[in-house]
Amino acid sequence: METARTNYRNIQGLRAIAALMVLTSHLFWDMPPMRTHWAKPWFAAVGPSGVDIFFVISGFIIYHVTRRSAARAAVAGRGRALYEFAMKRVIRIYPLYWIVFGAASVMMIWLPPASSFVKKPQVELFFLINGIPNFRVQAAWTLTFEIYFYAVTALSLAVFPSRVHVGWLVWFAVIGIVAFLATVFGLGIPLDYVFAPLVLEFLLGIGVGMLIERGEHRFRAVAIGIGLVWLLLGTLPLQADGGRAALSYLLRLGCWGLPAALIVYGTAAFESGGERRVMPATLQYLGNASFSIYLWHGVIFIGVAAVFDRLGWVGLVNRSLLAVAMGLVGLGVGLISYHVLERPLLRVLGRRFLDHGVASHSLDPALPAPGH
């Protein structure tokens, strides 16, 4: 019973749904036939909210991870617990990202980015430091916020090993106050990275983790229902805003972040409650592969679009068939990457730096070392 409770298979299924939402929203890039596809307003408007679901899930997961890290610190010491936390995050994020980054860089020799793309220093993109936007791996802009969150959490573990929430509260309070003052009084404070209100979505995930850990399972169906309706209706003001960075992040928090938290809560509560309803195994599997799918799909879409363009198929192939082909190729490459790259990297690097393999998601138990 405990294994099912701590693995949170529904969260993995929800990660799959979020990844597919983002994937479908990007099907309409790069080629005129796709930009004018009848389905673009529907997918491109709602699909990006999968990112907000990811951020809430990250807060949920890291809450549980830090609970284990605090227990680890009490046994093995603060330094060892901090090292394991940080190294697992590095192993999960950077090696696969660097491979995709390299592939995208090679591809751009043949397919240079549009002049409208905002260029960033390569070192910032490579290490995901202020990599917003990321013109190499477009979807990776979100990883900059993830790394930011992990760094703050690691610092909190170092200073408050048994009370990580103190560090979080200080950080989130600063973000909230600065965002409020900058928005209300029109102060010239950048809200696109360091003080981005979007990072408060991690706080929402932490709150969801606390509720689930305390056994709060009521209103799960209501939470999911309200969350879905709110998410859809929240798309309207975001579309009207037109993408102004500072206001969009604050607006996005209210329009997509809060309903994402309701959806994550309801999804986790269905599994951890008495009925223990779990998502289909297919979605759980896709959730395990969601990081590979998320990183690769945009790069692959650009490549597929270029191939169609070079072969003169643009305008000849039905637009819907082209969208399906791009989606399947992007999904397929992501799944291949999961089996051929991501899992072996987690296993090999985990054994090299942690003496045991690293699981494909943080709520799984660690993989045993050889012979254990």
Side-chain angles (χ1 to χ4, degrees):
M1 297 292 284
E2 181 64 15
T3 300
R5 183 177 187 273
T6 56
N7 281 352
Y8 289 109
R9 293 168 289 177
N10 276 0
I11 292 297
Q12 285 303 94
L14 188 58
R15 286 179 65 184
I17 294 172
L20 293 176
M21 289 172 65
V22 175
L23 181 149
T24 54
S25 73
H26 292 161
L27 284 173
F28 308 97
W29 284 355
D30 303 307
M31 289 191 298
M34 302 306 294
R35 297 190 194 110
T36 59
H37 195 282
W38 63 267
K40 178 176 180 177
W42 303 94
F43 287 101
V46 181
S49 63
V51 167
D52 303 82
I53 295 175
F54 272 130
F55 281 173
V56 175
I57 288 176
S58 290
F60 177 88
I61 289 175
I62 294 301
Y63 170 76
H64 288 281
V65 168
T66 53
R67 299 282 285 175
R68 295 201 305 236
S69 295
R72 178 68 171 157
V75 175
R78 182 183 311 189
R80 183 62 189 180
L82 177 61
Y83 171 79
E84 290 183 355
F85 172 84
M87 185 55 64
K88 284 181 180 179
R89 309 283 83 71
V90 168
I91 290 173
R92 281 197 176 95
I93 296 292
Y94 280 112
L96 183 61
Y97 167 70
W98 284 335
I99 292 174
V100 180
F101 182 88
S105 299
V106 171
M107 183 183 296
M108 285 183 178
I109 298 174
W110 177 47
L111 299 168
S115 58
S116 60
F117 276 46
V118 178
K119 302 295 181 63
K120 302 282 291 188
Q122 296 299 304
V123 67
E124 291 186 6
L125 298 183
F126 191 74
F127 290 105
L128 296 169
I129 302 170
N130 194 20
I132 308 168
N134 190 319
F135 75 95
R136 295 287 189 192
V137 184
Q138 287 82 6
W141 69 270
T142 62
L143 298 183
T144 294
F145 288 116
E146 295 278 357
I147 294 298
Y148 186 15
F149 177 41
Y150 298 157
V152 171
T153 301
L155 179 61
S156 299
L157 274 171
V159 180
F160 312 105
S162 60
R163 297 181 179 180
V164 182
H165 63 277
V166 174
W168 282 335
L169 288 175
V170 171
W171 181 49
F172 289 128
V174 170
I175 296 294
I177 292 171
V178 171
F180 174 79
L181 294 176
T183 303
V184 172
F185 297 103
L187 302 179
I189 299 174
L191 299 181
D192 58 342
Y193 176 41
V194 176
F195 298 108
L198 194 61
V199 301
L200 296 177
E201 293 183 350
F202 296 122
L203 175 62
L204 296 176
I206 292 169
V208 171
M210 295 175 67
L211 286 174
I212 295 299
E213 185 181 58
R214 293 176 181 180
E216 178 55 67
H217 308 131
R218 297 172 296 174
F219 315 116
R220 52 199 178 188
V222 174
I224 291 178
I226 293 176
L228 289 174
V229 174
W230 188 345
L231 195 76
L232 293 174
L233 293 178
T235 300
L236 300 177
L238 282 170
Q239 290 292 303
D241 175 56
R244 290 174 290 166
L247 179 57
S248 289
Y249 278 164
L250 195 58
L251 191 62
R252 184 168 183 159
L253 175 66
C255 292
W256 281 350
L258 291 173
L262 290 174
I263 292 169
V264 173
Y265 161 73
T267 302
F270 265 111
E271 180 178 358
S272 56
E275 299 174 4
R276 296 197 183 279
R277 297 181 186 176
V278 297
M279 290 193 180
T282 300
L283 278 180
Q284 295 177 44
Y285 164 68
L286 291 176
N288 291 339
S290 59
F291 186 52
S292 283
I293 295 169
Y294 182 79
L295 279 183
W296 278 108
H297 76 273
V299 176
I300 296 303
F301 287 174
I302 292 174
V304 172
V307 169
F308 272 71
D309 184 55
R310 294 293 174 90
L311 294 177
W313 292 352
V314 177
L316 299 179
V317 177
N318 180 274
R319 290 180 295 175
S320 296
L321 289 178
L322 177 56
V324 171
M326 291 175 68
L328 290 177
V329 173
L331 181 62
V333 170
L335 294 177
I336 292 172
S337 168
Y338 171 63
H339 288 284
V340 176
L341 295 173
E342 184 179 353
R343 291 180 66 185
L345 284 170
L346 292 175
R347 182 176 63 253
V348 172
L349 294 176
R351 289 172 179 170
R352 171 65 179 83
F353 294 102
L354 295 167
D355 297 327
H356 58 75
V358 176
S360 60
H361 69 95
S362 298
L363 291 175
D364 259 347
L367 301 178
H372 288 197

